[in-house]
Amino acid sequence: MQRQKGVALWRQISDRIRANILAGLYDKTGMVPAETALAEEFGVNRHTVRAALAALAQEGIVRAAQGRGTMITQRDKFDFPIGRRTRFTEGIGEQARDLKGILLSSGREVATPELIERLKLAPGDEVLRLDGIRKADGRAVSRSTMWFPAERFEGIDKAFADTGSITRALSYCGVEDYLRDVTEISAVHAEPDDVAHLELTPGAIVLVTRAVNTDPDGRPIQFAVTRFPADRVQFTIRN
């Protein structure tokens, strides 16, 4: 444990335990090691371990079992395929009964240098920004900020708000098919907006994708930064 890192010890411990659970290290027993064992492993007192386990319990990852210890709560992850035609509805669709896309906010803004590069725009061009979340069977599974060339996609914000689907919103704007050009994946701690919109606890891990979609002619149409709860979603990379 790094006591001078600026992150509370209990949070560092909850991150370690969460990572071990995700890696399947406790699958044989289905139980988290006893508080005394964890306290010895991490070099802290049991009160700090209890705080870490309480945070994981709030996330629904573990639960206390009377007389037994702390059990891992087995919840299946949604498998999200990433390939040439990455679609949220098609990717999650067979795994959930109810899918919902919700527009949180939208706006028109001048493209930043990164957006100019990602969307192949000219300096001074404008983009439409959409912020939204997606839910599967009532569970928040992603939070996205998406940018589209404003000149080509006027009205896409209303189309997404009405349909809850980016694919259908793009169709409304005349794009019937699109391809994934690049996907960059990283993992970070949840930010305050993640905690609020994805219903997480501080310190939870989120998987972040930075992705560009193009039309069939290769013209970039969308750049999106999407954050997925690591305990609810896993990625499968497909050619």
Side-chain angles (χ1 to χ4, degrees), residues 132-201:
I133 59 173
R134 293 182 175 92
K135 294 187 174 184
D137 291 340
R139 298 168 67 190
V141 292
S142 72
R143 179 175 77 87
S144 298
T145 300
M146 303 162 279
W147 294 268
F148 304 84
E151 183 177 356
R152 185 175 182 184
F153 292 100
E154 191 68 46
I156 195 168
D157 49 350
K158 184 179 186 305
F160 177 63
D162 291 343
T163 65
S165 165
I166 287 297
T167 297
R168 281 182 278 176
L170 286 169
S171 178
Y172 168 85
C173 294
V175 178
E176 298 296 338
D177 191 19
Y178 59 96
L179 304 172
R180 177 60 57 90
D181 181 59
V182 62
T183 303
E184 301 163 359
I185 303 173
S186 59
V188 300
H189 288 289
E191 296 179 351
D193 282 348
D194 299 324
V195 171
H197 294 301
L198 297 178
E199 302 165 10
L200 303 174
T201 58

Side-chain angles (χ1 to χ4, degrees), residues 10-189:
W10 66 264
R11 185 171 296 174
Q12 294 182 52
I13 293 169
S14 69
D15 289 345
R16 291 277 192 90
I17 297 172
R18 186 191 300 105
N20 289 343
I21 291 173
L22 293 175
L25 299 186
Y26 307 140
D27 283 356
K28 286 185 178 180
T29 64
M31 304 287 290
V32 173
E35 290 180 3
T36 51
L38 290 172
E40 182 177 351
E41 176 183 351
F42 296 117
V44 298
N45 58 44
R46 291 178 64 180
H47 177 76
T48 302
V49 169
R50 288 195 192 104
L53 293 175
L56 294 174
Q58 281 188 300
E59 292 182 43
I61 295 176
V62 302
R63 66 179 178 85
Q66 187 72 27
R68 297 185 60 190
T70 303
M71 296 183 63
I72 299 168
T73 302
Q74 298 294 332
R75 299 187 70 178
D76 292 337
K77 291 185 180 182
F78 291 107
D79 183 45
F80 186 64
I82 296 177
R84 285 291 285 162
R85 283 184 167 80
T86 299
R87 307 287 191 270
F88 178 81
T89 301
E90 293 177 11
I92 300 290
E94 294 183 357
Q95 305 168 63
R97 295 182 299 275
D98 178 39
L99 296 175
K100 182 181 297 184
I102 302 168
L103 179 66
L104 298 175
S105 65
S106 63
R108 190 182 184 104
E109 55 195 33
V110 176
T112 63
E114 181 181 18
L115 293 174
I116 289 172
E117 179 182 357
R118 297 278 192 172
L119 296 174
K120 292 183 168 52
L121 301 173
D125 283 353
E126 294 187 328
V127 292
L128 294 172
R129 187 201 75 253
L130 279 62
D131 296 294
I133 59 173
R134 293 182 175 92
K135 294 187 174 184
D137 291 340
R139 298 168 67 190
V141 292
S142 72
R143 179 175 77 87
S144 298
T145 300
M146 303 162 279
W147 294 268
F148 304 84
E151 183 177 356
R152 185 175 182 184
F153 292 100
E154 191 68 46
I156 195 168
D157 49 350
K158 184 179 186 305
F160 177 63
D162 291 343
T163 65
S165 165
I166 287 297
T167 297
R168 281 182 278 176
L170 286 169
S171 178
Y172 168 85
C173 294
V175 178
E176 298 296 338
D177 191 19
Y178 59 96
L179 304 172
R180 177 60 57 90
D181 181 59
V182 62
T183 303
E184 301 163 359
I185 303 173
S186 59
V188 300
H189 288 289

